[in-house]
Amino acid sequence: MNAADDQAVDVRAPSATRLLASLGIEIDPELLVLALTHRSFAHEAGGIPTNERLEFLGDAVLGVVVTEHLYRAHPDLSEGDLAKMRAATVSQRALAATARGIDLGEYLLLGKGETGTGGRDKDSILSDTLEAVIGAVYLCHGLELTRAMVQRLVGPTLQAAADLGAGLDWKTSVQELAANRGLGAPVYDVSGTGPDHERSFTARLLLGDVAWGEGEGSSKKIAEQNAAEQAYRALAAERD
């Protein structure tokens, strides 16, 4: 039995019972193994299939479910507001938080290198794997049961998105506020430090020559959003 077989048996065994209980649905064992197989493990195991095709499918299913929910739940909101709410719900950070809530990282099939650099808690890997799991559930059960599972998993995020207002997309919100005040378009000055597997980024938001906000994060996108939030609050406080 090779390494891939060993790992697959582990996922099929009672160790996966808690994960399936968290999902609230059964998944074909082979599809579950595939959904949890990161490309780093697949490469080390001799080029076995990865979860990337399931991730592609799950991303589309997730988008449909979340979009339909928002459309029906918020009949008075504009297309722009709905798009912001959807983006906040299916963002990498939001999906990774949902994945952590069901301890998905514990079940990932990762290569040794990725495991050694903290891959089980990386936002990108967790969010992609959650989408792959959604894809696997869709193949097993179709749209209706998948919709029910997705709504259970992301329900808290959907509710939070309804209450976020400007926080749905700080970068867009601060851009609109700056434009309304005639301050021009925000420019982000971003720098990174640390090794490739553990980079940390700092972003400053500039309007003209004035820095209005600064933020940090594990990616450029997160650092820029944090800088935008600080700038938005500073601009709003000055306006008020």
Side-chain angles (χ1 to χ4, degrees):
M1 182 178 291
N2 61 31
D5 292 332
D6 288 339
Q7 292 265 15
V9 170
D10 288 343
V11 176
R12 289 185 172 96
S15 61
T17 301
R18 186 160 57 89
L19 173 60
L20 294 173
S22 298
L23 295 172
I25 200 165
E26 292 293 323
I27 303 176
D28 175 82
E30 291 187 3
L31 274 178
L32 179 57
V33 171
L34 183 59
L36 298 172
T37 302
H38 186 258
R39 63 177 177 270
S40 62
F41 177 81
H43 176 73
E44 292 183 10
I48 64 174
T50 75
N51 64 3
E52 292 174 355
R53 281 170 53 85
L54 280 177
E55 174 201 337
F56 172 77
L57 175 62
D59 174 68
V61 173
L62 175 66
V64 168
V65 171
V66 169
T67 300
E68 181 184 358
H69 173 88
L70 292 172
Y71 180 87
R72 294 183 182 280
H74 303 284
D76 298 327
L77 291 184
S78 69
E79 179 271 341
D81 289 336
L82 291 174
K84 289 180 182 179
M85 293 177 70
R86 180 177 60 193
T89 303
V90 303
S91 70
Q92 183 180 99
R93 190 194 309 190
L95 293 180
T98 299
R100 290 188 184 96
I102 58 174
D103 295 322
L104 187 59
E106 180 181 327
Y107 302 93
L108 298 178
L109 304 184
L110 295 176
K112 293 179 181 178
E114 196 64 70
T115 299
T117 57
R120 294 188 184 280
D121 196 46
K122 287 183 179 178
D123 282 2
S124 59
I125 293 178
L126 287 171
S127 60
D128 289 349
T129 305
L130 182 61
E131 288 177 339
V133 169
I134 292 170
V137 172
Y138 175 78
L139 289 180
C140 289
H141 300 287
L143 185 57
E144 292 309 311
L145 290 180
T146 306
R147 176 188 286 113
M149 184 198 73
V150 168
Q151 290 179 340
R152 285 196 302 272
L153 290 177
V154 305
T157 309
L158 284 166
Q159 183 56 50
D163 301 329
L164 278 174
L168 283 168
D169 184 349
W170 289 113
K171 291 180 69 174
T172 299
S173 296
V174 75
Q175 182 175 335
E176 292 172 349
L177 184 56
N180 289 338
R181 294 185 53 182
L183 297 175
V187 174
Y188 294 87
D189 178 22
V190 184
S191 59
T193 59
D196 289 342
H197 66 274
E198 200 173 349
R199 296 283 281 175
S200 177
F201 295 89
T202 300
R204 290 194 310 149
L205 186 151
L206 303 171
L207 291 170
D209 296 327
V210 180
W212 283 87
E214 183 171 308
E216 297 180 351
S218 57
S219 71
K220 290 181 180 180
K221 182 180 294 186
I222 293 174
E224 288 176 354
Q225 283 285 354
N226 289 337
E229 177 181 0
Q230 188 178 97
Y232 181 92
R233 294 187 186 282
L235 285 166
E238 184 181 85
R239 177 193 60 191
D240 294 340

